[in-house]
Amino acid sequence: MEGEIVIIVEKYGISAVKDGKRLFFHPSLAVLRKSNVEMGQRDYLIESLSLSGNEKVLDCTLGLGSEAILIAHFLPEGYVKCLESSRIIKIIVENGLGDENLPDWVRESARRIEILEYDYKKFIRESNEIFDCIYVDPMFEHPNFKSSAMNLLRPFADYSGIDPEDIEEMKRIARKRIVVKARWNDSIFERYKFDKIVGSLKSKIGYGVIEI
């Protein structure tokens, strides 16, 4: 039936099927990006966060967790609190992060990741917890349908976009900086004045940075 979600529990993990698309956890993007950094390539997210290694980071939009894993890797003395409004996505990622067959560095990063089932718009308005850095990666206004990973996520995702008011709320609980990920033609880059925007013209993805 259209719109129905089927949960599949197997020996190697949990997955979910909706509208013919099967969602499962895999750290491949985190592994690739870490490898690229080690080879001297720029990672605009890590560059934008400008981490010292001991920060407390709020990842407002967990998704499949690849960026949370990457961030946690660069926080040997810090940790990442992740928010995810979809219970299905949270369960799949949490289960995946507990897989003993993951690369050692991914398992080590996972120990510094906490996941809450929470809508970030609600969290940033209700919480008084202070974070060094806040990162938000909402679903793009102008999506790239060539992304196979994102195409699997779409049936399960929350499509509420980010507004300037959300960023102002984030300032209340951020100590160092806020980073917003969006495509170059998404309206948030026109509606909010960032201190700087870095990114790749090739991927058409930018990271807007606000220094506190």
Side-chain angles (χ1 to χ4, degrees):
M1 181 180 296
E2 185 176 353
E4 185 177 59
I5 298 175
V6 178
I7 305 296
I8 301 172
V9 181
E10 298 174 300
K11 179 181 179 180
Y12 298 106
I14 297 174
S15 60
V17 178
K18 181 180 179 183
D19 299 338
K21 295 206 168 40
R22 183 169 180 170
L23 183 70
F24 57 92
F25 172 79
H26 198 283
S28 57
L29 287 177
V31 172
L32 175 62
R33 289 175 68 170
K34 172 180 175 286
S35 177
N36 288 341
V37 171
E38 290 173 345
M39 290 190 295
Q41 296 183 32
R42 296 175 71 180
D43 189 284
Y44 292 105
L45 169 58
I46 300 305
E47 184 178 312
S48 299
L49 288 169
S50 189
L51 301 171
S52 298
N54 60 353
E55 286 88 352
K56 180 179 176 181
V57 176
L58 176 67
D59 180 351
C60 292
T61 43
L62 172 69
L64 289 176
S66 61
E67 292 187 316
I69 294 168
L70 187 66
I71 293 169
H73 172 67
F74 289 95
L75 293 173
E77 298 177 11
Y79 76 94
V80 187
K81 176 171 284 190
C82 302
L83 308 178
E84 176 51 59
S85 61
S86 167
R87 179 169 296 180
I88 297 297
I89 295 173
K90 175 181 180 289
I91 290 172
I92 289 174
V93 175
E94 272 189 329
N95 179 263
L97 288 175
D99 185 353
E100 294 182 356
N101 296 310
L102 291 172
D104 289 344
W105 76 267
V106 175
R107 294 176 61 196
E108 183 64 29
S109 293
R111 296 189 183 100
R112 298 190 290 274
I113 294 174
E114 176 189 6
I115 305 175
L116 300 180
E117 182 186 338
Y118 223 117
D119 182 291
Y120 82 86
K121 289 176 179 279
K122 184 178 180 183
F123 183 90
I124 60 177
R125 287 166 172 80
E126 294 179 348
S127 178
N128 290 316
E129 189 174 359
I130 303 299
F131 299 88
D132 294 295
C133 303
I134 298 179
Y135 173 56
V136 58
D137 173 18
M139 295 296 283
F140 298 151
E141 291 176 30
H142 302 91
N144 174 15
F145 291 104
K146 294 180 181 179
S147 171
S148 57
M150 289 306 299
N151 286 339
L152 294 177
L153 185 66
R154 294 186 206 287
F156 305 87
D158 180 348
Y159 283 83
S160 56
I162 187 168
D163 298 310
E165 293 80 8
D166 297 326
I167 298 174
E168 291 301 318
E169 289 290 341
M170 291 177 190
K171 286 182 176 180
R172 184 179 62 83
I173 57 172
R175 193 183 349 244
K176 292 183 178 179
R177 66 190 54 85
I178 298 163
V179 176
V180 178
K181 181 180 179 180
R183 285 177 69 82
W184 289 117
N185 55 349
D186 286 352
S187 66
I188 191 62
F189 287 142
E190 297 177 357
R191 293 184 292 131
Y192 197 91
K193 182 174 177 56
F194 292 90
D195 293 316
K196 66 178 178 179
I197 301 173
V198 299
S200 166
L201 292 175
K202 181 179 178 181
S203 68
K204 300 180 181 178
I205 292 174
Y207 295 86
V209 180
I210 302 128
E211 301 289 351
I212 307 299

